């Protein structure tokens, strides 16, 4: 039976510990066991957007981390557990291919490629329609529930 | 310049020091009201990892007196959580690797190395900061 409160798409507000203005993603669109897809809408007045409407390039790296947090948070909530804090431990490599502007609607696709003792290696790809904006691998640690 | 970068620049303490021609060091103190702590995380403010990288980028942009186009970040390790009011020394070194210019940054606090990473830019566009 479908829990309608958990029906996707779902705003990330109750899935990640981040809050505005440091919350850079908006909705969880897809969830699968080891990954998912998150939407981010870039708005003109965000703290990482210049006067000329250009988003700070590095912001998309944080979007990958927050997308993974949303996926984990959704998994936790499905399992009846509270949402946990996660921390960046490292970046293997992230490449940035295109600039992002206010008004853009981005999709962040994340997939867990390794998971040991709370440490996860996550592949992330950020797209705008069919264009790849950024891609890379990051390493995160998610706090265990107490 | 976006608001977060403006606040990073405002968090500088002391003067820029330049040892050798390819090394630049700056010190920072991010106060509890620094915007990067807002919502990251409620009740447990820590400096986001990407803000640590952005801080190093602002140093290089200031040094080059132009806005630079970030193309990659790699080999990043975040060892220590950075809390409000910590004094952080950021050292950026320009390296030449296979004819490419790479920047290496290290953030240190009293307790030791907090983070380190490498990043690259596209060819300079000469866009003012």
């Amino acid at each position: 039976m479908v829990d309608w409160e958990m029906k996707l798409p779902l705003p990330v507000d109750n899935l990640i510990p981040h809050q505005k203005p440091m919350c850079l993603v908006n909705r969880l669109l897809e969830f699968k066991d080891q990954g998912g897809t998150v939407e981010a809408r870039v708005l003109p007045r965000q703290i990482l957007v210049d006067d000329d409407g250009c988003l700070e390039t590095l912001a998309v790296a944080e979007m990958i981390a927050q997308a993974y947090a949303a996926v984990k948070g959704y998994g936790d909530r499905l399992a009846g557990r509270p949402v946990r804090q996660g921390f960046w431990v490292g970046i293997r490599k992230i490449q940035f291919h295109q600039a992002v502007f206010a008004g853009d609607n981005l999709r962040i696709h994340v997939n867990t490629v390794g998971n040991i003792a709370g440490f996860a290696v996550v592949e992330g790809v950020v797209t705008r329609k069919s264009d790849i904006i950024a891609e890379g691998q990051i390493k995160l640690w998610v706090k265990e529930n107490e | 310049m976006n608001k977060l970068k403006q606040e990073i620049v405002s968090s500088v303490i002391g003067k820029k020091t330049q040892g050798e021609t390819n090394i630049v060091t700056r010190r920072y103190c991010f106060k509890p009201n620094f915007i990067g702590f807002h919502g990251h995380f409620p009740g447990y403010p820590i400096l986001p990892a990407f803000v640590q990288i952005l801080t190093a980028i602002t140093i290089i942009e200031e040094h080059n007196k132009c806005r630079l186009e970030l193309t990659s970040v790699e080999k990043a390790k975040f060892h220590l959580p950075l809390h409000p009011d910590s004094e952080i020394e950021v050292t950026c070194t320009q390296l030449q690797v296979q004819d490419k210019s790479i920047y290496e940054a290290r953030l240190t606090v009293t307790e030791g190395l907090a983070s380190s990473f490498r990043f690259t830019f596209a060819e300079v566009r000469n866009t003012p900061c």
Side-chain angles (χ1 to χ4, degrees), chain B:
Chain B
M1 189 184 282
N2 62 59
K3 185 162 176 53
L4 184 58
K5 263 186 174 169
Q6 287 172 23
E7 290 217 7
I8 289 171
V9 171
S10 302
S11 301
V12 167
I13 51 172
K15 291 184 177 174
K16 180 173 76 175
T17 54
Q18 188 170 353
E20 298 164 43
T21 51
N22 61 334
I23 301 175
V24 186
T25 300
R26 270 237 181 245
R27 295 180 67 80
Y28 294 81
C29 182
F30 296 100
K31 297 292 177 191
N33 63 352
F34 172 66
I35 200 165
F37 292 128
H38 295 187
H40 192 278
F41 296 104
Y44 185 67
I46 56 167
L47 194 69
F50 87 95
V51 175
Q52 298 177 39
I53 301 169
L54 198 54
T55 301
I57 290 170
T58 61
I59 292 174
I60 302 303
E61 287 186 333
E62 181 197 34
H63 189 67
N64 286 279
K65 297 184 174 60
C66 65
R67 189 164 133 187
L68 297 166
E69 193 180 321
L70 184 70
T71 52
S72 71
V73 177
E74 61 182 354
K75 295 181 179 173
K77 289 180 181 169
F78 303 98
H79 304 280
L80 298 172
L82 297 173
H83 300 287
D85 289 325
S86 297
E87 283 200 16
I88 305 163
E89 185 171 275
V90 184
T91 302
C92 298
T93 307
Q94 187 176 12
L95 309 167
Q96 286 298 130
V97 179
Q98 293 169 347
D99 294 335
K100 272 185 71 178
S101 192
I102 292 177
Y103 291 91
E104 186 174 75
R106 293 167 66 85
L107 276 67
T108 51
V109 289
T110 317
E111 296 86 351
L113 180 66
S115 62
S116 61
F117 43 87
R118 287 181 168 196
F119 52 100
T120 59
F121 297 109
E123 293 301 312
V124 175
R125 286 189 305 184
N126 286 326
T127 309
C129 284

Side-chain angles (χ1 to χ4, degrees), chain A residues 2-15 25-31 36-41 70 74 77 105-107:
Chain A
V2 177
D3 178 350
W4 290 101
E5 284 189 3
M6 296 300 287
K7 191 172 175 353
L8 298 178
L10 198 63
V12 299
D13 307 36
N14 297 318
L15 302 178
V25 297
N26 299 96
R27 294 192 302 166
L28 178 64
L29 305 179
E30 290 176 349
F31 172 83
T37 302
V38 167
E39 175 190 58
R41 293 186 301 275
Y74 187 79
R77 287 201 53 200
N105 198 328
L106 306 178
R107 295 278 190 280

Side-chain angles (χ1 to χ4, degrees), chain A residues 55-69:
Chain A
L55 178 74
E56 183 67 43
T57 305
L58 200 57
V60 296
E62 175 66 7
M63 286 176 182
I64 293 173
Q66 292 189 10
Y68 177 74

Side-chain angles (χ1 to χ4, degrees), chain A residues 86-145:
Chain A
F87 302 91
W88 268 20
V89 178
I91 298 171
R92 191 166 288 173
K93 185 167 189 174
I94 297 181
Q95 291 178 284
F96 306 95
H97 303 300
Q98 291 188 24
V100 175
F101 299 93
D104 282 348
N105 198 328
L106 306 178
R107 295 278 190 280
I108 304 104
H109 312 273
V110 288
N111 188 38
T112 310
V113 293
N115 209 334
I116 303 169
F119 291 90
V121 178
V122 177
E123 255 176 15
V125 179
V126 182
T127 59
R128 176 180 50 212
K129 295 182 180 168
S130 59
D131 293 336
I132 294 180
I133 301 296
E135 57 191 327
Q137 269 194 8
I138 61 175
K139 194 172 175 186
L140 298 123
W141 175 68
V142 179
K143 209 171 170 179
E144 290 296 321
N145 278 315

